[in-house]
Amino acid sequence: DGGITQSPKYLFRKEGQNVTLSCEQNLNHDAMYWYRQDPGQGLRLIYYSQIVNDFQKGDIAEGYSVSREKKESFPLTVTSAQKNPTAFYLCASSIGKKIYNEQFFGPGTRLTVL
Amino acid sequence: SQQGEEDPQALSIQEGENATMNCSYKTSINNLQWYRQNSGRGLVHLILIRSNEREKHSGRLRVTLDTSKKSSSLLITASRAADTASYFCATGNSGAGSYQLTFGKGTKLSVIP
């Protein structure tokens, strides 16, 4: 059963804590992405990776960090430096390295800062 | 930066009617894509139209692209209650040094049974 999985579905964080969101894909896609979605808004790109051990900042990378040690995995860490982290986080992947290709999305993680 | 702007922001129709959503953008594109999002879920890709195409069909979906007006429309024919969702356009841009897929804010469609 191919696809993208994200965990956890809901995450609660206290102010000042770092948290890591998991994203795994078994589609053998080269490229992976992290987006943030706020209520009533579109998606904004946080980070993307076109190949293992390489990643690029998106439009809103401040306060976030990522790693791409394996092709299947692209975890996102929300650090304490992110001023307003409460949001819905979506991971996606696409075949090939051109990030304007069709993207496949995971189910999302809803992060709430208490 | 968000390039695509959908119109209207919200649309409510009766089951069986057609739904039309529009998307406008500002810079040249490689392709334009439409995605669907059910409440609280991930996005699902619906259709991709390249900059050299004018119209594309997929089942009950029809997408048009007018690059001279920098606009696209998504038509859903014979709508069903299950079509209730938010619909986003995303532009694939390939300017120098930029390979971005940029999403609009979406149109929220409600189909009343």
Side-chain angles (χ1 to χ4, degrees):
Chain A
D1 192 19
I4 302 179
T5 57
Q6 291 185 242
S7 61
K9 187 171 182 177
Y10 299 97
L11 187 56
F12 298 90
R13 187 194 96 172
K14 293 182 180 178
E15 282 195 30
Q17 284 182 336
N18 293 353
V19 289
T20 297
L21 283 59
S22 169
C23 177
E24 304 276 332
Q25 54 99 0
N26 61 5
L27 300 167
N28 199 33
H29 285 173
D30 291 308
M32 296 186 74
Y33 320 89
W34 274 105
Y35 293 93
R36 170 183 172 137
Q37 186 179 32
D38 293 283
Q41 300 294 311
L43 278 64
R44 291 184 289 169
L45 183 65
I46 304 172
Y47 268 98
Y48 65 97
S49 167
Q50 294 170 293
I51 196 170
V52 174
N53 292 323
D54 187 48
F55 47 83
Q56 308 294 328
K57 292 183 180 180
D59 296 324
I60 55 166
E62 186 175 349
Y64 300 97
S65 66
V66 293
S67 63
R68 185 89 186 275
E69 296 176 1
K70 298 187 297 182
K71 189 175 184 178
E72 313 82 62
S73 178
F74 192 40
L76 173 74
T77 296
V78 185
T79 74
S80 56
Q82 169 50 233
K83 300 301 179 196
N84 184 21
T86 294
F88 190 48
Y89 290 87
L90 287 159
C91 179
S93 70
S94 67
I95 203 166
K97 298 180 177 60
K98 293 181 179 177
I99 74 170
Y100 52 76
N101 289 343
E102 170 189 349
Q103 295 186 9
F104 294 79
F105 283 81
T109 292
R110 189 167 298 280
L111 173 63
T112 303
V113 173
L114 303 173
Chain B
S1 58
Q2 290 181 312
Q3 167 154 248
E5 290 287 337
E6 290 92 343
D7 170 60
Q9 291 186 339
L11 179 60
S12 185
I13 59 174
Q14 295 288 330
E15 199 166 30
E17 293 180 339
N18 295 343
T20 300
M21 289 158 266
N22 302 297
C23 171
S24 59
Y25 58 92
K26 295 176 183 172
T27 63
S28 62
I29 60 173
N30 176 279
N31 64 61
L32 187 144
Q33 303 175 34
W34 286 91
Y35 288 81
R36 165 195 170 125
Q37 183 181 35
N38 287 78
S39 181
R41 311 288 279 276
L43 276 71
V44 175
H45 183 267
L46 295 175
I47 199 163
L48 180 154
I49 186 166
R50 302 190 191 285
S51 59
N52 61 354
E53 297 176 311
R54 291 296 166 259
E55 188 170 313
K56 209 161 183 180
H57 296 256
S58 177
R60 293 184 296 113
L61 305 181
R62 174 180 168 248
V63 168
T64 61
L65 178 64
D66 187 335
T67 52
S68 66
K69 294 182 179 177
K70 291 187 168 59
S71 68
S72 173
S73 67
L74 170 67
L75 168 68
I76 303 174
T77 60
S79 64
R80 305 166 182 167
D83 294 328
T84 294
S86 291
Y87 292 82
F88 294 89
C89 71
T91 52
N93 312 312
S94 57
S98 171
Y99 291 90
Q100 191 98 349
L101 188 62
T102 309
F103 288 82
K105 295 183 179 181
T107 291
K108 191 167 185 177
L109 173 65
S110 298
V111 181
I112 303 164

